């Protein structure tokens, strides 16, 4: 239960009444609320005579003292023996804006050196608010600020940080006073003073100049060789311009003083390119001011080397993510290898290592740019065929002899919504006829049937939803959006039609969404014996289509039969006119005109050039179907050879077969 701390005494909060399966005196008789300082319990009676309870606020709440409380409420019946039940009422006190922000200090002081850079933090003021949420969110702003201070300082309204926004100069101002106001979300505020003292400092650091530098340094240079000259200057006077110059200790170099303010940079040991190829030498100059100022300068030195370092990939392995049905040539990822060698020895060339992916060469899937390391897709991928594969990329330098290294690239294919939902139950219309019996005494909410569907995609693309797009009685049945369960929306009545037809659409959650539909036939009956016209349900809607199909089939077969007769007559006529065209053996066709294989659409499979088909047709009922037997290729069935001697019997048998086939179709 929620209650605001601003709620007044006497506020009421309704509590659901306890339920007792007994009646009369044995039902709920009274309630007992646990003793607490804020609430009492009151029994109320509605106009209908039912009772319920109310929590009545007896003492105002204070969220800052107690944010929540738990009250134990006991319901007691009047039976013997007496029985009771308890419930815990969890009361959460909501905040009200009854506290103003309070600063941690009334007066803040800060010291700021002159010439402090922009955005330098001066001080952070802080105020807290005992309230919570918007009531406790504190923001800061300047309440009183001179024009000069406004150009020098800024205040972060969220953190209370005062920072430098202008040039701080001790000679122009040594002290500033600003006032900061803290406000909560609904306008309560408080104020604090900030005093900023500016201190004078040695404000000129030494400047370092590089006069000469030998770069790169040969690897075999002897210790003590001079590689550069450094000059140091300071614009300050007296002690503030006295400068000491030094470099870090972890490099094989040192500074040797020369003439006034000049230093020589010399080597102190043997250089080894195999250990360190480049040196970043930091030269630091410090004056003797109070406090002292210093500056630094970094000198980059390279060491000439031979090709003794192979390329090194930036990552131990790479992962590429691509959506299926991608366009060939699209970029998947980029691999990068670094070679610490110099010039030609550090030039990297990328290539794919030979291998296979699903039995095909890796080059038929991916390609890599030899200069950039960018990997492209050669073909379009299908998530349903495979979801990931690995390839190896080699990086080779251009040295003599060349050095190389390998890295593994894992390609992960993500799914797109390219598969429509497949309905498993009931079978889609045209494959089978499914009928469900619904008892006449079915009540509203009763489970009647269920549509079961799957989707070959994954993730959101396979998240299916079910919808009734058409029904005999729109108000009688409903379907679960995600369960596919078909239930009654109300009780079955005598006026409802016995035959109910539902057309259900199953949609996935892809973009764009794909869908499939099925028909569900429902019979409102307690016994199949009461439904003598059951067969008519399944065929009423199909008779018209079946008749159309029979007419089309009859016309097609007749046309084909007449065409065949004309071709046979034409062939026999040509044989009589040109007998020399026929040989005593088989009719031979040069193999050059019959390619042995035909590539399929994807270019991954083959289709044999020679196929033979057998067709079977059942008769005797309108439920007959064509059955096609799998083809035989030329490896399992001998090729039919037609000679001049067998031409006539073959023609007569063909005519007889077509007459029999036409007769069978007409009877069917």
């Amino acid at each position: 239960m929620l209650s605001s701390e601003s709620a007044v005494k006497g506020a009421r909060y309704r509590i659901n009444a306890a339920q007792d399966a007994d009646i009369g005196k044995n039902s709920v008789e009274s309630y007992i609320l646990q003793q607490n300082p804020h609430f009492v319990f009151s029994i109320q009676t509605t106009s209908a005579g039912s009772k319920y309870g109310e929590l009545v606020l007896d003492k105002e709440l204070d969220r800052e003292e107690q944010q929540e409380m738990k009250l134990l409420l006991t319901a007691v019946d009047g039976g013997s023996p007496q029985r009771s039940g308890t419930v815990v009422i969890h009361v959460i006190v909501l905040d009200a804006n009854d506290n103003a922000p309070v600063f941690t200090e009334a007066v803040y002081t800060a010291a700021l050196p002159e010439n402090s850079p922009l955005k330098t933090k001066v001080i952070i003021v802080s105020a807290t608010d005992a309230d919570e949420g918007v009531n406790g969110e504190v923001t800061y702003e300047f309440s009183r600020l001179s024009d000069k201070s406004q150009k020098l300082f800024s205040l972060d309204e969220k953190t209370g940080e005062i920072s430098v926004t202008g040039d701080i100069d001790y000679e122009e101002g040594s002290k500033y006073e600003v006032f900061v106001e803290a406000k909560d979300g609904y306008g309560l505020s408080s104020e604090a003073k900030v005093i900023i003292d500016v201190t004078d400092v040695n404000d000129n650091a030494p400047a370092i100049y590089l006069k000469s530098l030998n770069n790169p340094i040969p690897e075999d240079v002897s210790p003590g060789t001079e590689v550069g000259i450094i000059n140091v200057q300071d614009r300050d006077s007296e002690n503030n311009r006295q400068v000491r110059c030094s470099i870090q200790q972890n490099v094989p170099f040192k500074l040797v003083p020369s003439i006034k303010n000049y230093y020589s940079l010399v080597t102190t040991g043997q250089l080894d390119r195999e250990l360190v190829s480049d040196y970043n030498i930091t030269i630091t100059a410090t004056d003797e001011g109070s406090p002292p100022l210093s500056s630094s300068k970094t000198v980059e030195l390279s060491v000439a080397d031979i090709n003794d370092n192979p390329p090194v990939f930036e990552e131990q392995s790479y992962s590429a993510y691509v959506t299926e049905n991608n366009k060939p040539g699209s970029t998947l990822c980029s691999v990068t290898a670094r070679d610490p060698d110099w010039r030609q020895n550090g030039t990297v060339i990328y290539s794919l290592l030979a291998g296979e992916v699903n039995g095909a060469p890796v080059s038929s899937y991916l390609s890599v740019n030899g200069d950039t390391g960018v990997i492209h897709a050669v073909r379009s991928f299908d998530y349903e065929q495979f979801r990931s594969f690995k390839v190896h990329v080699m990086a080779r330098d251009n040295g003599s002899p060349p050095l190389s290294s390998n890295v593994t690239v894992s390609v992960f294919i993500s799914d797109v919504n390219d598969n429509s939902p497949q309905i498993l139950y009931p079978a889609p219309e045209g494959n089978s006829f499914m009928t469900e019996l619904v008892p006449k005494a079915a009540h509203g909410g009763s489970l009647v049937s269920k549509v079961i569907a799957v989707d070959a995609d994954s993730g959101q693309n396979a998240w299916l939803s079910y919808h009734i797009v058409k029904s005999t009685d729109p108000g009688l049945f409903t379907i679960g959006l995600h369960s596919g369960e078909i239930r009654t929306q109300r009780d079955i009545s005598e006026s409802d039609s016995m035959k109910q037809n539902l057309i259900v659409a199953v949609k996935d959650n892809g973009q764009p969404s794909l869908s499939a539909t099925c028909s569900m036939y429902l019979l409102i009956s307690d016994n199949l014996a009461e439904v003598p016209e059951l067969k008519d349900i399944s065929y009423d809607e199909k008779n018209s289509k079946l008749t159309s199909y029979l007419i089309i089939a009859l016309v097609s077969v007749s046309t084909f039969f007449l065409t065949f007769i004309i071709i046979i007559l034409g062939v026999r006529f040509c044989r009589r006119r040109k007998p020399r065209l026929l040989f005593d053996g088989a009719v031979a066709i040069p193999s050059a005109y019959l390619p042995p294989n035909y590539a399929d659409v994807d270019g991954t499979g083959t289709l044999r050039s020679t196929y033979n088909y057998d067709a079977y047709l059942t008769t005797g009922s309108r439920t007959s179907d064509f059955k096609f037997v799998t083809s035989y290729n030329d490896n399992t069935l001998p090729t039919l050879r037609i000679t001049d001697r067998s031409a006539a019997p073959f023609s007569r048998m063909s005519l007889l077969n077509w007459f029999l086939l036409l007769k069978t179709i007409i009877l069917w």
Side-chain angles (χ1 to χ4, degrees):
M1 185 184 77
L2 302 178
S3 176
S4 174
E5 66 174 332
S6 61
V8 298
K9 182 178 180 180
R12 293 176 175 271
Y13 304 89
R14 181 166 179 170
I15 304 299
N16 293 332
Q19 302 294 324
D20 194 329
D22 298 323
I23 61 175
K25 185 178 180 179
N26 295 330
S27 63
V28 177
E29 183 179 57
S30 62
Y31 295 85
I32 301 173
L33 180 65
Q34 177 187 5
Q35 188 68 25
N36 67 91
H38 294 284
F39 293 94
V40 296
F41 193 77
S42 174
I43 302 296
Q44 301 294 328
T45 304
T46 64
S47 59
S50 60
K51 294 182 178 182
Y52 64 92
E54 288 183 339
L55 283 180
V56 181
L57 183 63
D58 189 52
K59 181 182 177 181
E60 288 81 3
L61 302 170
D62 189 351
R63 189 200 64 83
E64 284 71 31
E65 292 182 2
Q66 187 176 8
Q67 296 184 1
E68 59 180 345
M69 62 185 70
K70 294 182 179 180
L71 306 177
L72 184 64
L73 179 63
T74 303
V76 182
D77 65 14
S80 179
Q82 193 176 51
R83 298 183 181 275
S84 64
T86 60
V87 66
V88 176
I89 302 175
H90 188 189
V91 180
I92 300 175
V93 183
L94 302 179
D95 183 57
N97 191 28
D98 57 352
N99 293 279
V102 178
F103 280 96
T104 56
E105 298 178 30
V107 179
Y108 292 85
T109 58
L112 180 66
E114 69 169 327
N115 300 326
S116 294
L118 298 180
K119 297 183 180 180
T120 298
K121 182 178 71 175
V122 179
I123 196 173
I124 296 178
V125 298
S126 178
T128 58
D129 194 310
D131 297 322
E132 69 175 2
V134 178
N135 299 329
E137 292 180 1
V138 179
T139 58
Y140 305 90
E141 64 181 19
F142 287 125
S143 58
R144 285 178 283 172
L145 188 69
S146 65
D147 293 339
K148 185 176 181 180
S149 299
Q150 188 175 4
K151 297 178 181 178
L152 298 178
F153 305 102
S154 66
L155 174 64
D156 191 310
E157 66 175 1
K158 298 292 184 183
T159 64
E161 178 181 298
I162 298 176
S163 57
V164 176
T165 58
D167 296 328
I168 305 298
D169 192 348
Y170 178 83
E171 287 70 29
E172 294 183 5
S174 60
K175 187 174 184 178
Y176 298 90
E177 290 185 3
V178 297
F179 293 87
V180 178
E181 184 179 33
K183 293 182 179 180
D184 63 18
Y186 286 97
L188 297 181
S189 63
S190 60
E191 190 178 74
K193 179 192 288 187
V194 180
I195 300 175
I196 303 173
D197 292 319
V198 180
T199 58
D200 192 19
V201 295
N202 176 30
D203 56 356
N204 286 286
I208 302 173
Y209 299 96
L210 183 62
K211 293 300 181 179
S212 66
L213 183 67
N214 297 327
N215 194 23
I217 308 169
E219 185 176 12
D220 57 351
V221 69
S222 60
T225 302
E226 181 182 84
V227 296
I229 298 176
I230 308 297
N231 176 241
V232 182
Q233 297 181 4
D234 194 309
R235 293 186 301 167
D236 293 328
S237 60
E238 298 179 356
N239 289 338
N240 292 334
R241 68 179 303 169
Q242 299 300 319
V243 179
R244 300 186 305 272
C245 196
S246 63
I247 63 175
Q248 74 267 34
Q249 299 298 318
N250 59 344
V251 293
F253 300 93
K254 68 177 181 179
L255 288 176
V256 178
S258 182
I259 59 177
K260 185 178 181 180
N261 294 332
Y262 278 87
Y263 297 85
S264 295
L265 180 63
V266 298
T267 60
T268 60
Q270 188 69 42
L271 301 180
D272 190 350
R273 180 67 163 78
E274 283 68 33
L275 297 178
V276 181
S277 59
D278 297 286
Y279 291 95
N280 292 325
I281 303 172
T282 301
I283 302 172
T284 303
T286 306
D287 63 24
E288 296 183 0
S290 181
L293 291 179
S294 63
S295 60
S296 60
K297 186 178 184 67
T298 301
V299 178
E300 297 181 357
L301 292 176
S302 299
V303 181
D305 192 27
I306 60 174
N307 186 32
D308 56 354
N309 290 282
V312 177
F313 284 95
E314 291 184 346
E315 300 181 17
Q316 294 183 353
S317 61
Y318 291 83
S319 297
Y321 299 89
V322 59
T323 57
E324 65 173 326
N325 304 325
N326 59 294
K327 293 183 178 179
S330 58
T331 301
L332 299 187
C333 69
S334 176
V335 297
T336 304
R338 305 295 181 185
D339 194 316
D341 294 327
W342 195 37
R343 293 184 178 176
Q344 291 298 106
N345 295 333
T347 302
V348 180
I349 301 173
Y350 303 93
S351 62
L352 283 175
L353 292 180
E356 290 187 353
V357 176
N358 289 345
V362 66
S363 58
S364 65
Y365 287 86
L366 301 177
S367 65
V368 62
N369 189 304
D371 297 326
T372 64
V374 177
I375 297 177
H376 301 275
V378 175
R379 64 166 63 181
S380 178
F381 300 127
D382 188 354
Y383 177 83
E384 284 70 37
Q385 291 184 359
F386 56 92
R387 302 183 178 183
S388 65
F389 60 91
K390 293 182 179 181
V391 298
H392 299 282
V393 178
M394 180 181 69
R396 176 179 58 84
D397 62 26
N398 206 26
S400 180
L403 301 177
S404 64
S405 60
N406 303 332
V407 72
T408 299
V409 179
S410 300
V411 180
F412 299 94
I413 304 169
S414 57
D415 185 44
V416 297
N417 192 31
D418 58 349
N419 288 279
S420 300
Q422 180 182 359
I423 299 175
L424 304 180
Y425 183 86
E429 185 176 2
N431 293 338
S432 65
F433 171 70
M434 305 300 299
T435 303
E436 300 280 356
L437 282 180
V438 181
K440 294 180 179 180
H443 297 289
S446 298
L447 179 63
V448 173
S449 184
K450 183 175 182 178
V451 177
I452 302 175
V454 294
D455 196 305
D457 296 318
S458 63
Q460 289 291 101
N461 297 330
W463 184 22
L464 303 182
S465 59
Y466 300 82
H467 311 270
I468 296 178
V469 297
K470 184 179 179 182
S471 62
T472 304
D473 188 347
L476 184 55
F477 298 99
T478 184
I479 190 168
L481 181 61
H482 298 299
S483 66
E485 294 181 347
I486 300 176
R487 296 179 180 272
T488 56
Q489 295 192 71
R490 55 176 174 81
D491 295 347
I492 302 296
S493 64
E494 294 294 335
S495 60
D496 291 327
S497 174
M498 177 182 294
K499 306 173 185 179
Q500 297 288 333
N501 183 17
L502 304 181
I503 298 180
V504 178
V506 183
K507 299 180 180 179
D508 59 27
N509 200 38
Q511 293 295 332
S513 177
L514 301 178
S515 63
T517 60
C518 66
S519 294
M520 176 69 71
Y521 297 92
L522 304 176
L523 291 177
I524 301 177
S525 176
D526 294 326
N527 192 343
L528 280 176
E530 299 176 0
V531 193
E533 68 281 10
L534 180 60
K535 291 185 178 180
D536 295 336
I537 299 175
S538 61
Y539 296 109
D540 286 344
E541 298 182 359
K542 298 182 180 180
N543 282 337
S544 59
K545 293 183 179 179
L546 184 61
T547 303
S548 300
Y549 294 156
L550 289 174
I551 294 175
I552 294 173
L554 181 60
V555 172
S556 301
V557 171
S558 301
T559 303
F560 187 77
F561 175 73
L562 294 177
T563 304
F564 183 79
I565 293 298
I566 294 173
I567 292 174
I568 292 300
L569 295 177
V571 170
R572 294 180 64 82
F573 179 76
C574 291
R575 287 178 176 176
R576 294 176 180 176
R577 293 284 303 273
K578 299 179 180 181
R580 288 178 297 175
L581 294 178
L582 298 179
F583 299 92
D584 192 27
V587 179
I589 302 177
S591 60
Y593 294 96
L594 288 178
N597 297 286
Y598 295 97
D600 62 3
V601 176
D602 293 333
T604 59
T606 58
L607 183 66
R608 300 296 300 173
S609 59
T610 305
Y611 276 80
N612 297 279
Y613 296 92
D614 290 335
Y616 297 91
L617 183 67
T618 60
T619 61
S621 74
R622 55 185 172 182
T623 61
S624 299
D625 295 322
F626 281 106
K627 177 182 178 183
F628 293 98
V629 180
T630 55
S631 61
Y632 300 93
N633 58 30
D634 52 1
N635 293 328
T636 59
L637 187 65
T639 304
L640 180 62
R641 297 180 176 269
I642 303 176
T643 63
D644 187 36
R645 291 189 297 262
S646 61
F650 174 78
S651 300
R652 288 192 295 273
M653 289 301 297
S654 299
L655 291 175
L656 180 58
N657 288 337
W658 280 109
F659 277 118
L660 292 176
L661 178 60
L662 179 60
K663 177 182 177 181
T664 302
I665 293 176
I666 295 174
L667 291 176
W668 179 66

